[in-house]
Amino acid sequence: HVWAELLLVIVFTSSLARSDVFTSIGHMTDLLFTEKDLVTSLKDYIRAEEDKLAQIKQWADKLELLSTAATRDPDGFLGHPVNAFKLIRRLTTEWTELEHLVLTDTSDAFLSNLTIQRQHFPSDEDQSGAAKALTRLLDTYQLDTDTISTGQIPGSPADTKHSALTVDDCFEVGRVAYSEGDYYHTELWMLQALAQLDQGETPADVDAVMILDHLSYSVYQQGELERALAFTEKLLELDPTHQRATGNRRYFEYQLAKQTKVGKREKGRRQEEHQPDDYQSEKKKYEQLCRGEGLRMTPQRQSGLFCRYYDNGRHPKYVIGPVKQEDEWDHPRIVRYHDVLSNREMEKVKELARPRLRRATVHDPRTGQLTTAPYRVSKSAWLGAFEHPIVDQINQRIEDITGLDVSTAEDLQVANYGVGGQYEPHFDFGQKDEPDAFEELGTGNRIATWLLYMSDVQAGGATVFTDIGASVLPQKGSAVFWYNLRPSGDGDYRTRHAACPVLLGNKWVSNKWIHERGQEFRRRCDLQESA
């Protein structure tokens, strides 16, 4: 009864659990320690149950010996007054004590701890988000479901044991796609689940009938009636009484007969295909760049890029110890500054940001309001200069290196990317046809972006510029800098960029968006749209 009551509390509490955990690896690390605490609590409960069962077994063994001997000669046994007394005592007292022992619930402590910790558990939305992230990695990096299922992600160390997806896991990823009407990916993951089932894996909650039911409908939705019928017939071999499959078989047979007159439907593809052509074109380009394909770095362009020691016009702080500057691109000019922050400084920034990480938002171009979006999967926090001396030092360092006034810049934004974390192509500056997202600040548009990488990423996670075909790889301690506005003040549309999905690793970055006000004599205006 206690189990039932507490489980009801757990189910209720789950609706209050925080969501968007999957969007930040930094927050997901907390879940590992939560789970470790629960495992410890579970083991304590198991030990208590084992102790209880040991006592019950000891009592049962003793009584078994006694009752076996007594029943051989009941009259002789009970003829002894001590035996008669002990029998009556056992039945009136000791069996009652045993009943209390059996009914003793040792699960209270474990369930109480579980109920408390449940408020920190991921939500159903997190599970769906993580499932969609696996599918996003599948598409972006052109992997197959078996590669992800076996855990052999490109970039992972060869000598490490890979985590693998079970049949139940593959089915769940496919089910999420199914619920989104994404039948192309439903098919891929259901076929993977079926393949692992055929290889002899024993699932916990699903079976071949459930998999085939989803699989047949998903291929039907993509216009493949013959395969839909074949999967349905295979399902009916396993469960001849399946009513939906029986009806579907008749329907598919009718449609096949009808189809011969009008021709076959074209097979459906990825879920995004209902999007406009320009979106699809950019999405394709974005994914190619993330894979390292379609880069426009020619030998001629490469020959014009250099590395140098940079002192920003003999700035007093950098005359003796200049920073290492590397050209990443020429037009627009994108530069990288190496070793601009120490490990100690970066760890402090992460420490300050981690407790306040929240799902990253974007400006809705129709309303000008901040909102979450499926194309930006990360969590971010804002750090003001007053919060810690290190934040103030970083701001000053940005000003000293770039030569721009950061007093009108936005606070330092720290971002941590989650499972398959990404930010699809976007501009950092506000466009003329949008509600002025920065009007309330009174500091003008975002003139420049400073992007600091605070971790290395084992695979994926590049910053790509879709218009110019450039890719910048994360490198811990380095910062990438570019101007979002041309000298005329107009937006530089060549700076459209994206954060590629993190395939393997934990990506931490911090951004400083520098605004127009205060730069009048530091980056002078020009009526010409020069680079």
Side-chain angles (χ1 to χ4, degrees), residues 81-301:
V82 173
N83 289 340
F85 169 76
K86 289 179 70 67
L87 172 64
I88 292 171
R89 186 177 183 280
R90 282 198 303 276
L91 292 172
T92 56
T93 303
E94 294 183 18
W95 276 97
T96 301
E97 292 174 354
L98 179 63
E99 181 182 20
H100 290 323
L101 178 60
V102 171
L103 291 176
T104 299
D105 195 340
T106 60
S107 65
D108 287 354
F110 167 68
L111 282 176
S112 296
N113 190 26
L114 179 59
T115 303
I116 293 169
Q117 297 289 4
R118 185 75 188 209
Q119 63 184 314
H120 304 299
F121 279 19
S123 65
D124 290 341
E125 180 187 343
D126 284 307
Q127 180 167 304
S128 296
K132 285 186 275 191
L134 293 181
T135 295
R136 182 163 57 250
L137 295 175
L138 186 85
D139 290 339
T140 304
Y141 297 104
Q142 292 187 338
L143 306 175
D144 55 51
T145 52
D146 191 61
T147 297
I148 293 182
S149 182
T150 56
Q152 297 177 335
I153 305 295
S156 57
D159 57 347
T160 58
K161 185 177 180 180
H162 301 296
S163 298
L165 298 179
T166 64
V167 170
D168 299 86
D169 294 332
C170 293
F171 177 83
E172 175 59 24
V173 178
R175 188 199 62 76
V176 170
Y178 184 87
S179 67
E180 299 271 323
D182 180 4
Y183 300 112
Y184 169 70
H185 289 112
T186 302
E187 176 190 350
L188 295 182
W189 285 108
M190 292 302 169
L191 285 173
Q192 180 65 34
L194 198 61
Q196 292 182 206
L197 194 64
D198 291 341
Q199 290 166 9
E201 185 178 325
T202 304
D205 301 312
V206 303
D207 55 29
V209 170
M210 295 169 64
I211 297 171
L212 288 166
D213 191 18
H214 286 76
L215 188 53
S216 62
Y217 188 74
S218 65
V219 297
Y220 159 69
Q221 284 291 333
Q222 296 177 85
E224 295 192 279
L225 282 169
E226 294 95 336
R227 292 182 68 216
L229 180 58
F231 286 130
T232 302
E233 288 177 338
K234 188 175 181 180
L235 188 160
L236 287 169
E237 289 175 11
L238 299 173
D239 183 3
T241 64
H242 200 288
Q243 293 183 358
R244 182 168 54 253
T246 302
N248 285 347
R249 178 168 62 181
R250 287 195 296 267
Y251 178 74
F252 294 157
E253 289 172 340
Y254 167 76
Q255 288 294 326
L256 275 171
K258 184 179 176 182
Q259 190 184 70
T260 56
K261 301 178 182 179
V262 297
K264 294 183 179 181
R265 284 172 56 190
E266 183 181 353
K267 177 174 168 55
R269 295 304 291 169
R270 290 165 54 174
Q271 183 188 17
E272 295 92 347
E273 289 192 346
H274 67 277
Q275 297 281 0
D277 291 341
D278 56 347
Y279 172 88
Q280 284 304 314
S281 176
E282 184 177 51
K283 184 77 181 292
K284 182 179 179 181
K285 186 185 299 183
Y286 158 58
E287 292 180 349
Q288 286 177 331
L289 290 171
C290 289
R291 295 192 297 270
E293 303 169 5
L295 299 174
R296 299 181 192 167
M297 180 58 76
T298 62
Q300 182 180 3
R301 170 171 275 130

Side-chain angles (χ1 to χ4, degrees), residues 402-442:
T402 65
L404 297 177
D405 185 351
V406 299
S407 65
T408 59
E410 295 170 51
D411 286 342
L412 191 70
Q413 186 195 54
V414 181
N416 179 225
Y417 289 79
V419 183
Q422 64 160 2
Y423 190 0
E424 289 186 12
H426 62 280
F427 298 109
D428 279 351
F429 61 86
Q431 300 174 72
K432 291 180 178 179
D433 57 348
E434 295 178 351
D436 191 350
F438 310 116
E439 182 178 1
E440 61 190 43
L441 299 177

Side-chain angles (χ1 to χ4, degrees), residues 29-49:
T29 55
D30 297 338
L31 297 179
L32 290 176
F33 294 99
T34 297
E35 188 173 50
K36 182 180 179 182
D37 178 66
L38 285 174
V39 169
T40 302
S41 180
L42 179 60
K43 285 194 168 185
D44 289 341
Y45 160 64
I46 292 171
R47 278 192 292 271
E49 284 288 339

